[in-house]
Amino acid sequence: YTNPHLQLSSQPAQLTSFHDMSAQRELEGGDEYIEISITSPHKVGEGMGSYMAYKVSTKTNLSYFKKKDATVTRRFSDFLGLRDKLSDKYLQNGRIIPPTPDKSVIGMTKIKMSKEEDSSDQSEFVEKRRASLE
């Protein structure tokens, strides 16, 4: 198929739409992103005073952040507080804030009182909670 009104040019094409700008940005290094992963759940302490902590890693190319990669350790209650703050600030604007996983008293008591962390029930509970936080 040939169209006499279309001609190929050696000049680069001009972008004419938002979609084209997005495609150009992708070609020049990708869209802006922030990637958050929650890994390495581990018990801190012994007995009823123990708690679960998680490694939270972020990667971004947003210029707003000083560091492109950051990793911190946070406990489950930190996620509950974060959700409360996000809800207070954004829920009224119609933003959807995902729920946090249930704080299972039974599940955590079993983990707190256990000496070994390799029980399949406990591992399943911890993994489900980690995945829900992510």
Side-chain angles (χ1 to χ4, degrees):
Y1 173 80
T2 59
N3 184 333
H5 300 290
L6 295 177
Q7 294 179 349
L8 294 177
S9 169
S10 60
Q11 300 288 2
Q14 293 295 326
L15 300 176
T16 58
S17 73
F18 181 76
H19 178 70
D20 290 342
M21 289 170 44
S22 177
Q24 181 67 32
R25 200 170 48 240
E26 205 169 304
L27 289 172
E28 292 174 349
D31 288 335
E32 293 179 328
Y33 70 91
I34 185 166
E35 216 176 83
I36 301 169
S37 62
I38 299 171
T39 59
S40 307
H42 57 282
K43 185 169 103 172
V44 176
E46 290 298 323
M48 289 307 289
S50 65
Y51 59 89
M52 291 300 296
Y54 304 85
K55 182 171 130 182
V56 181
S57 302
T58 59
K59 292 182 182 184
T60 186
N61 65 355
L62 296 172
S63 59
Y64 177 78
F65 296 97
K66 292 179 184 175
K67 291 183 175 182
K68 300 301 175 196
D69 297 311
T71 300
V72 295
T73 300
R74 294 289 183 251
R75 57 190 292 174
F76 182 75
S77 60
D78 293 329
F79 290 95
L80 299 177
L82 174 62
R83 188 194 188 283
D84 289 345
K85 288 182 184 202
L86 291 173
S87 294
D88 290 346
K89 187 170 183 175
Y90 296 109
L91 203 55
Q92 64 198 11
N93 298 334
R95 301 274 171 86
I96 297 171
I97 311 298
T100 54
D102 291 334
K103 190 167 184 169
S104 169
V105 175
I106 295 171
M108 276 311 296
T109 302
K110 286 181 181 178
I111 290 170
K112 287 180 177 189
M113 299 312 293
S114 71
K115 297 290 182 194
E116 300 175 20
E117 294 185 50
D118 53 9
S119 164
S120 64
D121 287 345
Q122 293 168 15
S123 297
E124 186 178 325
F125 169 77
V126 170
E127 176 53 26
K128 281 183 181 178
R129 181 183 265 189
R130 184 212 60 79
S132 294
L133 290 171
E134 192 169 56

